[in-house]
Amino acid sequence: MLQIIAELCGGVGLFLIGMTLLTDSLKSIAGNTLKALLTKFTANKFKAMLSGIGLTILVNSSTATTVATIGFVSAGALTFAQAIGIIIGANIGTTSTGWLVAFVGLKFSISMFALPLIALGAIIKLLCKDRLALFGLVIAGFGLIFYGIDVLQAAMAGFSEQSDFTLLAYSGFWSKILLVLIGVVMAMVLQSSTAAITATMAALASGAVDFPQALFMVIGQNVGAVSITVLSVIGASINAKRTVAVNVIFNLVSAAVAFILLAPAFIALTQQVAYFQDFDAVILLAIFHTAFSLMGAAIFMPMIKQLEAFVIRILPDDSPSILACLDETSLQVPSAALQSARQVVHYCLFEIFSILRLLIKEGILPKQKQLDELDQVIAQVEEYLEKIALVGHSELKKSFLALLRVMIYVRVLRSDLEHMEYGCLLRTQPMVYQLALDYVHIIDNYMEYGMNLTDLELISHLRDELNNLKKWTSNHRAEIRLKLMEYSEVHQLSAAKGLELLAAQRWMDRLIAHSYRFSNVLYESIDEGH
C-alpha cells in the first residue's frame, strides 16, 4: 500500500511539474499576446468570453488568464465588465485539459513517447536561447504531464484493488456532500483543479471510483479551485478582489446547479439510456466538466451588468488610489505589470505638472500632504519596477528600460518642486513670468490628465514646442538677467533679494530644460516601441 501511495504522489508531482513548465513557458512565449487578446478582443461580453476561452487554451491555465485579467483591470486596460466575461471564458477553457487527458493521456500507454519528449525538451533548452529555449520547456512539460498520467493511472489501478469505496455511495444526500468535500480537499491540497480532475479521471479509468462518484468529486474540485484564487489575493487591490469574487460566485453557483440538476441528469442518462451505458465513462466525465462550465456561462452571461453591480456593492472601493494599479498578482504576467507601472508613472507626471500649473498661473503652493502622497507613489512604483522579472521576455526589455528612463525624469522633475517658492517669486517679474506662462501653455495643451502619453505624434509636438522654448531661453538668458539686475537697482532691492530673482530665473530655465529632456526620452521610448 505504501508503494501505491508513493506512486500516486509521484504521478501527481510529475503532472504538476509538467503543468508548471508548460504554463509558465507558454506565458513567456505568448508575451504581449496576453495583452493583445485581452485588450483587443473584448469589445462585448461574448467576445470577452471567447478571449477567456482562447487565452486559457493557449497558456493551458485558467489561473494565468485570471492573473492577467486582474493585472489589466488594475492598469485600466480592461473594464470590470470585460473582466467578468473573460473569467467566465477561462472557466470554460480550462476544461480543455480534461479532454486532452481523456482522449490521449488515458487511452494510450504513452510513457515510451513521454520520456523521449522530456529528453528532447531538455536538449532544446540547453542548446537554444530565448523563445526556442522556452519551446524546449513546453515539450518537456508535455512529456512530464503524460508520464505523470501514466504513473498515476498505474497507481490508481493498484489502489482500486486494495480499496473499497462502497462506503462512498452516491444514493444519499450526505454521501454526495462527502464526495464533493473530497473533491474540494483534493483541489486545495494539489493547488490545482486540473491536477485533481486528472487524478479523478485516472481513478475512474482504473475502477477505483465509479462514474457517479467521479461526478460529485469533479463538482467539489471546481469549488476547491476557488480557494486557490482567494488565497492569492489576500492583501491585494480591490480590483483583484472583485475579479476573484466573480470567479468565486461563478463556481459556487455553477456547483450548486450541477449538484442539484446536472449530475443527477448525467447519472440518469448512463443508467437508463442504452447508448450512454456503452459510452466511455472518462469521456463522459470530460463532457460533464465542460457542461458544468457552459451551464454557468448560460446563467451569468445574460446578467453580467447585474453581477458587476452586485460585486461592486459587496466590495466597495472606500479609498481610491492610483496605487491600486500596482497589484502584486500582476507581477506574474510581466506585460500586465509593465502596463500597470506605466500608468502610475504617467500619473506621477500629471501630478507634477498639475502642481506647476497651479503654482505659476495662480501662485498656489501645494499642501505638504499632496507632496507626501506623490513621494509615496513614486517610491512604490520604483519598488514595483524592481520586482518585475523579465527573464525570457526579451521583447519587453526595451519597453521596461524606456520606462526606467522616463522614471528618472519623474525624479528630476520632482526635485524641481523643492524650490517652488521661486515659482511665486517670478510672478513679480513680467519678462520671466511671461516665459513661465508660455511654459504652462505648452503643458496645458499636451499634458492634460488622461491623455495618451504613448501617442508618438502628440509627444513629437510636445517635444518640438518645449525645444523651441528652451532655445528661446538660451538666446535671451543674458538679456533677462540684465533686466533683473536693473530692476533690483531701480527698486533698491537688497543683494539677497536680487540673488533670489536670479535664482528664480535659473530655476525656470532648468524646469524648461528638464521638461524638454523628459519629452525627448518619452518620444524615443515610443519610437523604439514602434
Side-chain angles (χ1 to χ4, degrees):
M1 191 65 177
L2 287 175
Q3 183 180 352
I4 293 172
I5 293 173
E7 287 179 357
L8 281 172
C9 293
V12 171
L14 287 167
F15 181 86
L16 288 173
I17 292 172
M19 284 289 294
T20 302
L21 274 179
L22 179 64
T23 299
D24 290 350
S25 302
L26 284 172
K27 282 195 297 181
S28 298
I29 290 171
N32 283 330
T33 305
L34 290 168
K35 179 181 175 182
L37 283 173
L38 290 178
T39 57
K40 290 184 180 179
F41 302 107
T42 54
N44 58 55
K45 58 187 179 182
F46 292 105
K47 285 186 178 180
M49 182 183 72
L50 291 173
S51 293
I53 294 171
L55 186 58
T56 302
I57 293 172
L58 176 68
V59 299
N60 202 43
S61 170
S62 60
T63 302
T65 303
T66 302
V67 168
T69 303
I70 291 168
F72 290 125
V73 170
S74 297
L78 290 172
T79 65
F80 182 49
Q82 289 172 319
I84 295 173
I86 293 168
I87 294 300
I88 291 172
N91 278 278
I92 298 171
T94 196
T95 65
S96 62
T97 304
W99 287 97
L100 185 66
V101 172
F103 276 105
V104 181
L106 296 176
K107 292 297 177 185
F108 308 100
S109 179
I110 57 169
S111 58
M112 61 180 294
F113 299 106
L115 291 174
L117 279 177
I118 296 169
L120 176 62
I123 291 169
I124 293 174
K125 167 62 179 170
L126 290 172
L127 299 181
C128 302
K129 295 181 179 180
D130 298 328
R131 284 179 179 254
L132 274 177
L134 291 170
F135 184 66
L137 291 179
V138 170
I139 294 172
F142 264 117
L144 283 168
I145 285 173
F146 289 118
Y147 188 67
I149 291 171
D150 193 71
V151 173
L152 193 60
Q153 190 176 11
M156 281 296 182
F159 191 70
S160 64
E161 293 175 1
Q162 301 188 29
S163 304
D164 183 11
F165 280 85
T166 54
L167 294 174
L168 297 177
Y170 54 88
S171 55
F173 174 78
W174 292 111
S175 297
K176 295 174 184 176
I177 293 293
L178 181 58
L179 287 164
V180 170
L181 290 176
I182 290 172
V184 171
V185 172
M186 284 177 69
M188 291 177 67
V189 170
L190 297 176
Q191 286 291 290
S192 169
S193 61
T194 303
I197 290 168
T198 300
T200 303
M201 285 181 162
L204 178 60
S206 63
V209 296
D210 60 24
F211 180 68
Q213 290 171 331
L215 292 181
F216 291 105
M217 289 172 69
V218 166
I219 293 173
Q221 285 152 4
N222 275 274
V223 175
V226 165
S227 65
I228 302 167
T229 55
V230 169
L231 291 174
S232 71
V233 293
I234 293 176
S237 71
I238 190 68
N239 287 316
K241 291 175 181 176
R242 285 173 177 172
T243 307
V244 168
V246 169
N247 201 24
V248 170
I249 293 169
F250 179 89
N251 278 278
L252 290 179
V253 172
S254 299
V257 176
F259 185 88
I260 296 168
L261 299 176
L262 196 61
F266 267 72
I267 292 170
L269 282 174
T270 56
Q271 290 179 346
Q272 298 175 20
V273 180
Y275 175 76
F276 287 103
Q277 289 175 357
D278 298 328
F279 215 80
D280 189 295
V282 176
I283 293 175
L284 274 176
L285 188 61
I287 294 172
F288 173 80
H289 188 206
T290 301
F292 178 106
S293 296
L294 288 173
M295 180 188 61
I299 293 170
F300 285 105
M301 285 300 288
M303 48 184 290
I304 279 184
K305 288 186 178 179
Q306 292 86 341
L307 179 59
E308 178 184 15
F310 174 71
V311 172
I312 290 174
R313 188 166 65 251
I314 63 172
L315 290 173
D317 191 358
D318 298 324
S319 54
S321 169
I322 191 65
L323 290 177
C325 291
L326 304 180
D327 198 325
E328 293 288 320
T329 55
S330 300
L331 293 169
Q332 297 179 44
V333 184
S335 56
L338 198 57
Q339 177 148 333
S340 298
R342 185 180 293 111
Q343 184 178 353
V344 179
V345 171
H346 290 176
Y347 167 85
C348 293
L349 288 166
F350 287 125
E351 281 292 295
I352 291 169
F353 287 123
S354 296
I355 290 170
L356 290 169
R357 184 186 296 115
L358 281 174
L359 174 66
I360 293 170
K361 292 182 74 172
E362 308 292 339
I364 299 174
L365 288 167
K367 294 181 180 179
Q368 187 58 44
K369 181 182 178 182
Q370 184 180 2
L371 293 174
D372 290 342
E373 288 179 354
L374 176 61
D375 289 336
Q376 181 187 2
V377 173
I378 291 173
Q380 289 286 334
V381 74
E382 285 177 339
E383 288 181 16
Y384 192 79
L385 284 166
E386 289 179 5
K387 295 176 183 177
I388 297 176
L390 295 173
V391 177
H393 294 272
S394 55
E395 72 280 2
L396 294 178
K397 286 181 181 177
K398 283 186 179 180
S399 298
F400 180 74
L401 292 173
L403 188 60
L404 289 181
R405 290 177 66 200
V406 174
M407 193 65 211
I408 290 170
Y409 277 94
V410 170
R411 275 291 182 190
V412 169
L413 290 167
R414 170 62 184 94
S415 68
D416 289 333
L417 297 181
E418 294 299 326
H419 300 287
M420 287 180 294
E421 67 277 6
Y422 292 145
C424 295
L425 186 59
L426 59 81
R427 288 168 55 85
T428 65
Q429 306 303 311
M431 192 168 185
V432 184
Y433 186 47
Q434 185 56 53
L435 177 64
L437 288 175
D438 290 342
Y439 169 77
V440 169
H441 178 70
I442 294 171
I443 297 304
D444 279 341
N445 285 340
Y446 296 101
M447 295 298 294
E448 293 180 11
Y449 186 76
M451 291 187 74
N452 183 10
L453 292 187
T454 59
D455 186 323
L456 190 63
E457 185 178 357
L458 177 78
I459 301 305
S460 176
H461 290 314
L462 171 65
R463 182 181 70 158
D464 291 343
E465 292 202 29
L466 285 172
N467 189 33
N468 291 335
L469 189 63
K470 177 176 173 290
K471 288 178 180 177
W472 191 92
T473 57
S474 298
N475 294 334
H476 295 80
R477 185 175 293 119
E479 178 188 348
I480 295 173
R481 187 173 298 173
L482 182 61
K483 288 191 175 184
L484 288 176
M485 292 173 67
E486 289 174 353
Y487 177 88
S488 298
E489 289 178 8
V490 169
H491 291 83
Q492 297 181 344
L493 300 179
S494 65
K497 191 68 175 177
L499 288 173
E500 282 187 6
L501 287 173
L502 292 173
Q505 180 211 5
R506 288 195 298 272
W507 177 79
M508 194 67 233
D509 287 351
R510 284 198 306 273
L511 183 58
I512 292 170
H514 291 160
S515 299
Y516 164 70
R517 289 170 193 160
F518 143 72
S519 68
N520 196 46
V521 166
L522 194 57
Y523 176 85
E524 290 174 356
S525 67
I526 299 169
D527 192 38
E528 287 176 4
H530 282 58

